[in-house]
Amino acid sequence: STYGEGLYVWKENRLYQYNVEDDALAGNDIYAMAIDGSGRIWGATDGGISICSMPEKGKKLVQNLTTANGLPDEIITAISTDNQGNIWGGSNEKGVFRYNTTIKKVDIITPDWPYSQVTSIRVYGSTEVWIGTEKNGIIRLNAVNGNLLNMPPEHLLSATKIRAMCKDREGNLWVVTERGMLYSCNVRFGLLEPPFANIQAICTDAQGGFWVGSREGLFFQKGYGFVPVLSKKENVTALWVSPSDGNIWV
């Protein structure tokens, strides 16, 4: 995903680009991506959601979802999936929503969203939704009754920007804040203090390994510490795990 150049995919030993001009992508600024059960990529853009696929060599297909399809906001800033294959999206001003992939329509929204822009989403099961925001820290949504619960005012994850969230295979939630601080949560949040600062990206691999990108490079958690992966310092701003082969893209 890029800011201004749409989406790129490495397939069959070459690089393909999806953009507004050639493929009718909803927007060239891509804020987040998710993959569905059919292997299609869902991209969050300034113009809605673009669903991208390549069923045959070189044949690019794009389907767009906008407010005309029930999205509560045109600007989609976060995206994730639940264990039933539904797509959850976060928006600039209208909170979060669920696109039900079975009935192919938006069936859950947050109509009276009182918080700031959504920066990230992680779903536990299909009804417990953890939401990172631009100014209000972490918000938790009960998708059954629509209740929104924010962190206590004195909590360090209350009035702050959430840069990124990641859920590992053991159900732990990892959170990066505005100042690049790293937290983990199972029952309660705890602050981790690795020997590097300015954390900007996190992910877990297929084996449950935990990876961290910062302005000082790429690191992998080993035991109770972190080991550097790159031979020199690099400003790592994004991490992604390929579902096809498990490779880490940086």
Side-chain angles (χ1 to χ4, degrees):
S1 63
T2 71
Y3 289 119
E5 295 185 18
L7 289 168
Y8 286 92
V9 57
W10 179 260
K11 192 177 179 73
E12 296 155 346
N13 294 317
R14 63 158 291 184
L15 192 66
Y16 293 92
Q17 181 187 22
Y18 291 74
N19 58 36
V20 171
E21 295 75 18
D22 300 324
D23 311 293
L25 207 66
N28 281 333
D29 292 333
I30 312 298
Y31 295 103
M33 297 188 300
I35 186 169
D36 66 16
S38 301
R40 299 178 303 172
I41 298 298
W42 295 59
T45 82
D46 279 332
I49 295 174
S50 288
I51 309 168
C52 304
S53 61
M54 187 177 289
E56 301 174 13
K57 183 176 181 179
K59 184 179 180 181
K60 296 182 287 183
L61 295 182
V62 175
Q63 175 191 352
N64 292 322
L65 300 177
T66 67
T67 52
N69 306 105
L71 300 189
D73 195 338
E74 204 75 56
I75 303 175
I76 308 304
T77 52
I79 201 162
S80 187
T81 59
D82 63 24
N83 62 2
Q84 295 181 350
N86 298 311
I87 303 296
W88 286 84
S91 68
N92 184 44
E93 295 182 338
K94 302 294 184 179
V96 301
F97 60 91
R98 184 178 75 178
Y99 183 85
N100 189 311
T101 54
T102 301
I103 61 176
K104 293 181 170 42
K105 62 185 292 187
V106 174
D107 63 350
I108 293 178
I109 60 172
T110 50
D112 301 312
W113 179 254
Y115 305 108
S116 56
Q117 174 185 306
V118 176
T119 59
S120 52
I121 301 178
R122 290 296 178 264
V123 186
Y124 285 80
S126 59
T127 59
E128 183 181 349
V129 186
W130 290 71
I131 306 161
T133 66
E134 181 74 22
K135 298 178 181 178
N136 304 108
I138 290 179
I139 311 298
R140 188 168 61 178
L141 167 69
N142 183 329
V144 175
N145 56 28
N147 286 344
L148 292 165
L149 180 66
N150 55 321
M151 304 295 287
E154 68 276 7
H155 199 284
L156 291 173
L157 293 177
S158 176
T160 188
K161 177 179 179 178
I162 304 300
R163 282 188 175 181
M165 296 196 303
C166 177
K167 183 179 73 172
D168 67 23
R169 66 178 182 177
E170 295 179 356
N172 298 309
L173 183 67
W174 299 79
V175 178
V176 178
T177 66
E178 180 178 24
R179 297 181 179 179
M181 302 177 76
L182 178 66
Y183 292 81
S184 70
C185 164
N186 191 315
V187 178
R188 300 180 61 186
F189 277 101
L191 173 64
L192 280 76
E193 300 188 59
F196 47 87
N198 298 307
I199 297 169
Q200 301 180 112
I202 50 179
C203 75
T204 56
D205 61 29
Q207 290 73 43
F210 184 62
W211 300 74
V212 178
S214 81
R215 292 180 184 175
E216 298 177 31
L218 178 65
F219 299 86
F220 179 75
Q221 186 182 37
K222 188 173 183 180
Y224 293 101
F226 289 86
V227 295
V229 177
L230 306 177
S231 59
K232 62 179 182 178
K233 287 187 177 182
E234 295 283 358
N235 184 19
V236 177
T237 60
L239 296 172
W240 184 71
V241 183
S242 169
S244 60
D245 54 23
N247 287 327
I248 307 291
W249 289 79
V250 182

